[in-house]
Amino acid sequence: MKQAAIADGPELTVVDSKLMKRVFYAFAALALLSIAISLGGKWFGRSIAMAGYTDDATVREVVIGHNIITVPANFIRFEPARRDGIASRLDLYLRYPQMDGYSEASRDDFNHAGANRNIIFLSFEQQMMSRDMSARFAPIYSALIVQPGIPGLGGTTVYGFNEKSGYMNEVLVVGKRAGKDPFVARCLSGPSASESLAPCERDIHVGDDLSLTYRFPREFLGDWQTLDAAITAEAGLLLKARH
């Protein structure tokens, strides 16, 4: 009778243990994938918000020739360069006059969200010329400009270049300095100037055979003495001799 009852009862199916394991592993994989997507989404979302910037202030030591540039990572423009080591060139950016790098508080300034432009771009590399821009005025630039110039910002004189100079759509801005070579910068002119974030450029010699080129908004020429002194002082803070 018991055997008959069992035969007539509902049929029970035994589930293969291998199948159960596969189901378990599949759910586990989905759970891990969900966590990874969540974490990855947060990281990717932050990377988009940073737009290539970093607020990491870790000091990096970058060696160029006989110089060591000690600079916070948030001063360094390009992510691959934010490391210790040897380089042929280092590109930085900072706010002026604060002379600081990117941070959450300065995000709008670095994104050029407002009407005012206050970001300066700096490039360190080994000297290619024996004279910096100021020292090149008398032997080189003076033969390439059109006299007379016109009055410019901050007591400077603005000169156009002659057709044979090769400096198309540029002007030369010169500021007299007592007992020293003049302050000299090249600036874009015309429509290209208004489209550029930093249309003026000047290079100076710093450290041990290093050239520092800095680009800046044209309106900074109104106080070029203070600007040039600030850049020179900042270079002195960042540089130390390599022994």
Side-chain angles (χ1 to χ4, degrees):
M1 293 290 293
K2 290 184 179 179
Q3 291 180 348
I6 293 174
D8 294 337
E11 183 178 352
L12 298 178
T13 303
V14 179
V15 179
D16 191 339
S17 61
K18 292 184 178 180
L19 178 60
M20 290 298 294
K21 288 181 180 179
R22 290 176 183 173
V23 173
F24 172 78
Y25 289 144
F27 278 108
L30 287 174
L32 291 174
L33 180 61
S34 177
I35 294 172
I37 291 173
S38 176
L39 294 176
K42 291 178 180 179
W43 177 87
F44 189 60
R46 174 174 169 79
S47 69
I48 292 175
M50 297 295 281
Y53 301 122
T54 181
D55 52 10
D56 178 14
T58 301
V59 175
R60 300 299 183 187
E61 292 193 348
V62 180
V63 178
I64 301 180
H66 297 291
N67 303 272
I68 299 176
I69 305 172
T70 56
V71 58
N74 62 336
F75 278 53
I76 301 175
R77 287 184 65 189
F78 305 115
E79 192 277 332
R82 294 171 188 149
R83 58 175 179 79
D84 299 330
I86 298 173
S88 59
R89 176 187 174 106
L90 182 64
D91 295 293
L92 311 178
Y93 46 14
L94 51 82
R95 284 196 305 171
Y96 180 80
Q98 296 89 346
M99 308 302 281
D100 58 6
Y102 179 85
S103 65
E104 182 65 24
S106 65
R107 179 176 59 184
D108 287 348
D109 291 324
F110 278 85
N111 285 328
H112 315 289
N116 295 327
R117 299 173 180 174
N118 61 347
I119 302 299
I120 297 177
F121 302 89
L122 304 90
S123 298
F124 288 93
E125 56 189 334
Q126 290 190 290
Q127 290 178 16
M128 300 296 290
M129 304 182 71
S130 60
R131 300 171 184 265
D132 64 13
M133 193 170 280
S134 288
R136 294 198 300 270
F137 177 73
I140 299 176
Y141 288 128
S142 62
L144 302 177
I145 55 178
V146 178
Q147 299 278 6
I150 61 174
L153 295 172
T156 61
T157 302
V158 181
Y159 299 93
F161 284 101
N162 61 45
E163 294 180 355
K164 298 180 179 179
S165 68
Y167 294 108
M168 301 301 295
N169 300 318
E170 291 189 39
V171 294
L172 194 72
V173 181
V174 180
K176 292 183 178 180
R177 299 188 293 188
K180 300 174 64 176
D181 289 328
F183 168 91
V184 178
R186 295 202 325 268
C187 296
L188 297 174
S189 60
S192 55
S194 60
E195 295 170 0
S196 174
L197 296 173
C200 293
E201 175 181 300
R202 169 170 167 77
D203 65 67
I204 59 176
H205 285 175
V206 297
D208 187 352
D209 294 329
L210 271 188
S211 177
L212 169 58
T213 300
Y214 68 92
R215 296 187 294 114
F216 56 95
R218 185 163 185 152
E219 50 267 33
F220 288 1
L221 289 169
D223 196 9
W224 57 266
Q225 299 99 324
T226 302
L227 170 67
D228 204 52
I231 295 296
T232 302
E234 186 67 21
L237 293 174
L238 298 178
L239 286 168
K240 64 180 181 181
R242 181 185 179 191
H243 299 292

